[in-house]
């Protein structure tokens, strides 16, 4: 008999309610002994709940047979705790109704009430849905309240049979909005719990702690002590009695207590054994700073992925490898688990960086800027703990108000897009990403509310503003200066950054004429002349901040031409303190050490070496405030959608290009009619209108992206294409189709009647809904789409869909 292919795409790390890590995967034939041990460990009560009545004897051969499934009509998933099975879920398809399956759950006694049942339900529901199963049937004893609560609290559509000794449940695995929302809330809670041993540990072990200074292990221990960590520090070195004045231990198993966090700084070939020893000792989080893994090639990548699988199955979270450690300056932690020579001062900024070496430079640069950090995590290769996890930690961290990201790739783009859109309205996210500088990438970041910068310098410029000043309520800026040349540069930079430098109100100009020197220019920019004093700066800044037509101020000062810098800085602080709702930024051109002068108690006015940086930072902050203040719209319920039919069609198709008939049926299930006459067909000349295209592709950062444009020169030569991340709201669809430079052709402003914009927007929303419901869709294109006059709809002449083999939506990061 041919062994069915093992579905690796169903291997997924997971987190249960307590924050414990686990690893969920399909059962394999070699799990037979594990299954026997698992069933043998179950209490009589658990066996009775599983079997719906008393159990006299469980046959060994029946248990072993459960390790052999076909992964389609019968599927079993196990959740691992170390090398042992903590929980098991199994479905068997109904031969009479292939869209239904019977499902059973078994959780080991010592892991009940930890949330394994709910986790396994989410995994088996997703797997069943991908295999064309619409309903899971379960029979539960009436007093098995734990399992009943799992079903009723899942968010899925659950139908319970009449009360009796055994209650029958029908669970529709269609991902209803309520189920998705509950899953997201559960994920956020358990992620934070799982990261607590990493970011707020009570004890830390350092394996590979050298005796000699200026070595990685030694410096980690020294920084833990220097940073004021209040818990226990355990250096591990078999050849040392002490490290940095702290007693050392020969092995992890010799420690007096299980460490919450273990940092591993040993040779790459020794890391797997050390991580296993940490798991055996009861460590709950591991940071692997060692190099020599994925960066060395395929073998190293395989090794680090196996490390991650082992860590999750052992209940540990893992950071790295190839990272520089973890910093948390909050009073609850005071954790400096890093070998960086520069430790950040406490502040309101948190940062995740994928590059270890870059992290060293970042911490040093931030210290020179006097930019304080609440947390810093170097995730390295991010085989487990990722930027997505850290976003969810910092989302609820009261010490963090700004989040910085240096990211090269995202393991799970869909997850990043959703988490970012949830976090960004409350806390600005500023990212530097080494991707292409094109309009597509820019629009995707902007739609998600993430401020994308072009360099690390710009990243920190924006962070400096947002950490200390509010985003401006609008984009109108006043410039105050004592030198005309820099003011002209600043005004130009403001315009280039999307800001306005408007004329000041008459009342403001009158106030300035009364307070300033006779030759001062009271337009905007306000030129105080080289003879300006600190008092003049105070009067001018007070006046422009009081102007209802001004949202922010840029103050320029040339130190050699006026009073002492400290007096001007004090005047600026006084004025800024009087209007905390409007941001003030400065540039003391040629001044050294000015940043220290612009700090007073809790008030900080950011200062920049050159005024262009101040304008660029204000431009980013103003655009972020517009995004945050704009209604998000809603993802509408669309009539005529048969998602269950669509999933059955997908389940019947092989990976790769979908047949034309299946493509038309799939689109028809979402209310999109296709009259397929070929991709190069020009629609009937009688259908007056424009030709367009709608496409979906996978972006490495954001996941599924919908693209729209007019065919021909508009897209090919002018690159006039709009992009949005799924799921699209009604507002997203409206803005998308109107954001083209060719939009006047669509709405009639260029002459003529225009096109049926309502039908076009609805088609965009239907494509978005389809891609959201069917993660198997790797790519989709509707081309050409004839855009007909108002009231006449759209006509899709050709469609193509490509299905992926891996439907997990990416890596778990």
């Amino acid at each position: 008999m041919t062994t069915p292919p093992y579905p690796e795409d169903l291997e997924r790390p997971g987190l249960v309610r307590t924050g414990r890590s686990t690893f969920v995967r399909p059962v394999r034939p070699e799990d037979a002994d594990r299954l026997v041990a698992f069933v043998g460990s179950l209490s009589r009560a658990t066996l009775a709940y599983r079997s719906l009545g008393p159990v006299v004897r469980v046959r060994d051969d029946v248990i072993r047979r459960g390790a052999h499934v076909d992964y389609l009509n019968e599927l079993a998933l196990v959740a691992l705790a170390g090398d042992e099975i903590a929980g098991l879920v199994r479905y068997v398809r109904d031969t009479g109704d292939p869209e239904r399956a019977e499902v059973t759950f078994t959780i080991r006694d010592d892991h009940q009430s930890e949330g394994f049942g709910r986790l396994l339900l989410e995994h088996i529901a997703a797997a069943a849905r991908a295999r064309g199963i619409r309903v899971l049937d379960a029979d539960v004893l009436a007093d098995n309240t734990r399992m009943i609560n799992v079903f009723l609290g899942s968010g899925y559509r659950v139908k319970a049979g009449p009360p009796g000794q055994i209650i029958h449940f029908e669970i529709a695995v269609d991902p209803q909005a309520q189920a998705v929302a509950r899953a997201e809330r559960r994920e956020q809670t358990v992620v934070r719990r799982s990261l607590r041993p990493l970011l707020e540990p009570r004890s830390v072990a350092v394996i590979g702690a050298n005796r000699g200074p200026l070595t990685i292990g030694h410096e980690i221990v020294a920084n833990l002590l220097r940073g004021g960590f209040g818990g226990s520090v355990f250096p591990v070195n078999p050849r040392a009695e002490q490290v940095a004045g702290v007693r050392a231990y020969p092995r992890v198993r010799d420690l007096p207590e299980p460490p919450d966090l273990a940092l591993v700084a040993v040779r790459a070939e020794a890391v797997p054994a050390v991580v296993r020893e940490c798991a055996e000792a009861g460590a709950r989080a591991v940071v692997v700073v060692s190099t020599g893994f994925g960066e060395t090639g395929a073998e190293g990548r395989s090794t680090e992925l196996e490390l991650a699988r082992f860590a999750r199955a052992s209940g540990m979270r893992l950071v790295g490898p190839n990272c520089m450690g973890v910093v948390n300056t909050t009073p609850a932690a005071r954790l400096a688990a890093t070998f960086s020579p520069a430790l950040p001062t406490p502040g309101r900024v948190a940062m995740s960086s994928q590059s270890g070496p870059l992290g060293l430079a970042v911490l040093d640069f931030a210290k020179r800027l006097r930019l304080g950090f609440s947390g810093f995590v170097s995730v390295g290769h991010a085989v487990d703990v990722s930027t997505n996890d850290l976003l969810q930690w910092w989302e609820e961290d009261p010490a963090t108000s700004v989040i910085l990201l240096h990211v090269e790739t995202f393991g799970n783009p869909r997850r990043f897009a959703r988490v970012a859109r949830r976090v960004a309205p409350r806390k600005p996210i500023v990212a530097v990403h080494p991707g292409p500088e094109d309009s597509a990438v820019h629009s995707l970041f902007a739609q998600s509310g993430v401020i994308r910068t072009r360099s690390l310098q710009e990243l920190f410029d924006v962070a400096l503003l947002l950490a200390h000043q509010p985003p401006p309520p609008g984009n109108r800026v006043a410039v105050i200066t004592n030198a005309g040349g820099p003011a002209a540069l600043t005004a130009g930079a403001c315009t280039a950054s999307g800001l306005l430098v408007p004329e000041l109100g008459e009342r403001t100009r009158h106030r300035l004429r009364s307070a300033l020197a006779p030759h001062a220019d009271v337009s905007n920019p306000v030129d105080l002349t080289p003879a300006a004093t600190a008092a003049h700066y105070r009067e001018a800044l007070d006046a422009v901040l009081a102007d209802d037509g001004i949202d922010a101020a840029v103050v320029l000062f040339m130190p050699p031409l006026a009073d002492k810098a400290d007096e001007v800085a004090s005047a600026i602080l006084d004025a800024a303190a009087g209007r905390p709702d409007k941001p003030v930024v400065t540039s003391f051109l040629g001044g050294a050490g000015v940043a220290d002068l612009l700090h007073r108690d809790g008030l900080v006015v950011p200062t920049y070496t050159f005024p262009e940086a101040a304008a660029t930072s204000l431009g980013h902050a103003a655009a972020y405030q517009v995004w945050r203040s704009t209604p998000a719209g809603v993802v509408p319920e669309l009539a005529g959608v048969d998602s269950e039919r669509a999933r059955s069609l997908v389940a019947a198709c092989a990976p790769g290009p979908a047949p034309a008939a299946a493509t038309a049926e799939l689109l028809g299930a979402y209310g999109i009619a296709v009259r397929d006459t070929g991709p190069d067909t020009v629609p009937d000349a009688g259908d007056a209108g424009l030709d367009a295209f709608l496409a979906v592709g996978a972006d490495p950062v954001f996941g599924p992206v919908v693209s729209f444009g007019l065919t021909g020169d508009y897209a090919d030569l002018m690159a006039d294409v709009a992009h949005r991340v799924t799921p699209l709201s009604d507002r997203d669809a409206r803005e998308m189709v109107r954001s083209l430079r060719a939009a006047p052709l669509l709405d009639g402003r260029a002459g003529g009647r225009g096109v049926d914009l309502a039908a076009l927007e609805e088609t965009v929303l239907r494509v978005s809904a389809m891609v959201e419901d069917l993660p198997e869709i790797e790519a989709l294109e509707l081309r050409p789409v004839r855009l007909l006059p108002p009231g006449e709809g759209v006509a899709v002449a050709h469609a193509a869909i490509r299905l992926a083999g891996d439907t997990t939506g990416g890596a778990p990061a």
Side-chain angles (χ1 to χ4, degrees):
M1 183 178 67
T2 303
T3 302
Y6 176 77
E8 291 187 3
D9 58 291
L10 295 183
E11 291 188 346
R12 304 288 288 169
L15 295 169
V16 296
R17 181 178 53 80
T18 59
R20 177 192 173 91
S21 298
T22 185
F23 193 76
V24 179
R25 63 165 174 80
V27 72
R28 300 189 290 240
E30 56 267 32
D31 287 325
D33 288 339
R34 284 192 181 91
L35 285 174
V36 171
F38 171 68
V39 175
S41 70
L42 302 177
S43 68
R44 289 185 176 88
T46 295
L47 284 172
Y49 280 133
R50 166 63 180 83
S51 303
L52 305 180
V55 176
V56 178
R57 181 175 180 269
V58 183
R59 289 174 49 185
D60 184 90
D61 61 325
V62 174
I63 299 171
R64 291 181 178 277
R65 200 178 304 141
H68 300 270
V69 297
D70 64 8
Y71 303 117
L72 178 63
N73 297 313
E74 182 179 8
L75 174 66
L77 302 178
V78 294
L80 300 177
D83 291 330
E84 299 178 341
I85 297 173
L88 168 71
V89 62
R90 182 187 305 271
Y91 80 61
V92 178
R93 194 187 297 265
D94 186 335
T95 56
D97 185 350
E99 292 188 346
R100 301 179 78 100
E102 181 183 358
V103 66
T104 57
F105 295 79
T106 312
I107 310 299
R108 208 171 72 188
D109 291 73
D110 55 341
H111 290 293
Q112 293 175 8
S113 299
E114 291 183 2
F116 277 93
R118 187 157 296 169
L119 177 70
L120 287 172
L121 174 58
E122 291 176 7
H123 282 254
I124 200 70
R129 190 165 58 243
R131 287 155 176 78
I133 294 171
R134 298 166 49 190
V135 177
L136 295 174
D137 292 292
D139 290 320
V140 182
L141 288 176
D143 61 344
N144 189 354
T145 55
R146 289 173 178 167
M147 205 67 241
I148 292 172
N149 288 336
V150 166
F151 293 153
L152 296 180
S154 66
Y156 293 107
R157 288 181 290 129
V158 177
K159 181 180 178 181
Q165 183 179 358
I166 297 175
I167 303 176
H168 180 76
F169 288 90
E170 296 180 356
I171 306 156
V173 297
D174 186 32
Q176 299 294 299
Q178 185 182 29
V180 173
R182 289 185 181 180
E184 288 184 351
R185 286 196 298 270
R186 190 191 73 84
E187 178 195 39
Q188 181 186 7
T189 299
V190 299
V191 163
R192 286 186 54 80
R193 287 175 179 167
S194 76
L195 293 182
R196 185 156 283 116
L198 172 70
L199 297 172
E200 293 180 355
R202 294 164 298 179
S203 56
V204 180
V206 182
I207 299 93
N210 312 84
R211 284 174 292 186
L214 303 182
T215 56
I216 288 178
H218 182 280
E219 293 307 301
I220 292 174
V221 175
N223 279 340
L224 284 166
L225 301 175
R226 182 157 59 102
F229 179 62
S232 302
V233 178
F234 302 127
V236 177
N237 185 331
R239 293 180 296 275
E241 293 184 0
Q242 286 190 342
V243 173
V246 179
R247 178 188 172 183
Y249 297 84
R251 295 172 300 273
V252 180
R253 69 175 67 100
D254 298 321
L255 299 181
E257 64 183 70
D260 277 349
L261 173 62
L263 286 100
V264 180
V266 300
R267 301 184 315 276
E269 57 268 25
V271 168
V274 170
V275 171
R276 182 171 291 274
E277 190 177 353
C278 290
E280 293 170 351
R284 299 169 63 196
V286 178
V287 175
V288 179
V289 302
S290 309
T291 60
F293 291 91
E295 74 275 16
T296 66
E299 185 177 350
R301 178 61 175 168
S302 177
T303 299
E304 66 186 17
L305 291 176
E306 182 55 38
L307 273 179
R309 281 192 288 268
F310 173 78
R312 294 302 290 265
S314 301
M316 299 187 300
R317 299 306 306 266
L318 186 145
V319 173
N322 193 11
C323 70
M324 56 170 286
V326 177
V327 175
N328 185 352
T329 66
T330 62
R334 298 180 63 85
L335 177 72
T338 176
F339 55 87
S340 171
L343 296 182
T345 56
R348 307 290 300 175
V349 177
M351 182 173 183
S352 168
S353 172
Q354 278 191 264
S355 170
L358 187 63
L360 296 173
V362 160
L363 290 180
D364 179 68
F365 184 61
K367 193 167 186 177
R368 287 189 279 118
L369 282 180
R370 290 197 62 177
L371 181 65
F373 276 75
S374 58
F376 179 90
V377 179
S378 168
V379 295
H381 294 171
V383 294
D384 177 27
V385 173
S386 70
T387 294
N388 295 335
D389 293 318
L390 295 169
L391 278 174
Q392 295 184 86
W393 174 270
W394 290 322
E395 178 183 8
E396 301 299 332
D397 179 19
T400 299
S401 58
V402 181
I403 300 171
L404 308 184
L405 307 179
H406 166 254
V407 288
E408 298 167 6
T409 60
F410 289 86
N412 190 327
R414 285 176 183 254
R415 186 175 166 206
F416 169 73
R418 282 161 177 72
V419 173
R421 280 187 274 188
R422 189 181 73 222
V423 175
R426 297 173 53 200
K427 299 183 179 183
I429 302 172
V430 191
V432 58
H433 174 63
E437 289 293 331
D438 59 29
S439 60
V441 174
H442 174 77
S443 64
L444 299 181
F445 273 99
Q447 182 195 356
S448 299
V450 178
I451 301 170
R452 190 202 184 187
T453 59
R454 295 178 290 271
S455 66
L456 283 169
Q457 177 69 61
E458 190 176 335
L459 177 86
F460 281 100
D461 287 343
V462 177
L464 197 63
L465 188 156
L466 293 173
H468 301 302
Q469 295 283 307
N475 67 342
R476 301 163 301 178
V477 178
V479 180
I480 299 173
T481 183
N482 64 347
L489 289 174
T490 304
C494 286
T495 301
S497 299
L499 302 170
L500 301 177
V501 184
E503 184 174 326
L504 300 174
E506 177 56 38
R507 180 178 299 179
T508 302
R509 295 199 303 273
H510 176 75
R511 178 176 173 180
L512 290 171
R513 291 189 197 98
S514 303
L516 303 180
H519 300 295
D521 184 348
V522 297
S523 60
N524 193 9
V526 179
D527 189 348
L528 304 179
T529 77
T533 64
H536 290 142
Y537 270 94
R538 172 66 190 274
E539 288 285 353
L541 190 52
D542 279 341
V544 300
L545 291 178
D547 191 324
D548 291 337
I550 295 297
D551 302 303
V554 180
V555 183
L556 311 179
F557 176 61
M558 293 290 289
L561 303 180
D563 282 6
K564 295 179 180 179
D566 58 346
E567 296 177 2
V568 174
S570 181
I572 292 171
L573 286 168
D574 289 340
R579 287 306 300 261
D581 57 324
K582 295 184 179 182
V584 176
V585 296
T586 71
S587 179
F588 277 46
L589 294 93
V594 177
D596 293 339
L597 302 177
L598 289 164
H599 285 240
R600 179 193 295 163
D601 300 326
L603 175 63
V604 177
V605 172
T607 185
Y608 301 89
T609 303
F610 297 108
E612 295 91 338
T616 300
S617 301
L618 269 178
H620 282 304
Y624 165 71
Q625 180 63 17
V626 169
W627 175 86
R628 190 169 68 165
S629 304
T630 301
V634 296
V635 178
E637 290 288 336
L638 299 168
V641 171
D642 189 348
S643 57
E644 295 175 350
R645 172 62 179 155
R647 271 189 281 275
S648 298
L649 289 166
V650 168
C653 292
T663 296
E665 278 197 76
L666 276 170
L667 288 162
Y670 281 83
I672 302 173
V674 181
R675 54 178 191 185
D676 203 325
T677 52
D680 301 319
T681 300
V682 177
D684 189 340
D687 293 338
L690 297 166
D691 287 341
F693 68 90
L694 269 169
V696 176
D699 182 85
V701 175
F702 294 96
V705 172
V706 179
S707 302
F708 167 71
L710 300 182
T711 58
D713 291 347
Y714 296 103
D716 299 338
L717 298 182
M718 300 170 58
D720 190 15
V721 181
H723 309 270
R724 292 296 186 274
V725 184
T726 64
L728 271 71
S729 69
D730 53 358
R731 188 181 187 92
D732 290 331
R734 178 182 174 83
E735 291 178 349
M736 181 183 189
V737 300
R738 288 166 171 76
S739 66
L740 297 181
R741 294 193 296 278
L745 296 173
L746 304 179
D747 60 20
R749 284 178 292 158
R753 296 171 60 193
V755 305
D756 193 337
L757 286 172
L760 173 58
E761 292 166 19
E762 183 178 324
T763 303
V764 170
L765 290 169
R766 290 182 181 278
V767 168
S768 171
M770 182 177 181
V771 174
E772 279 296 293
D773 289 347
L774 306 173
E776 298 88 351
I777 294 179
E778 187 174 68
L780 176 152
E781 185 174 58
L782 310 182
R783 181 195 294 260
V785 178
R786 175 56 59 94
L787 307 180
L788 302 175
E792 297 183 23
V794 301
V796 179
H798 177 72
I801 291 175
R802 186 173 70 249
L803 301 176
D806 182 347
T807 62
T808 61

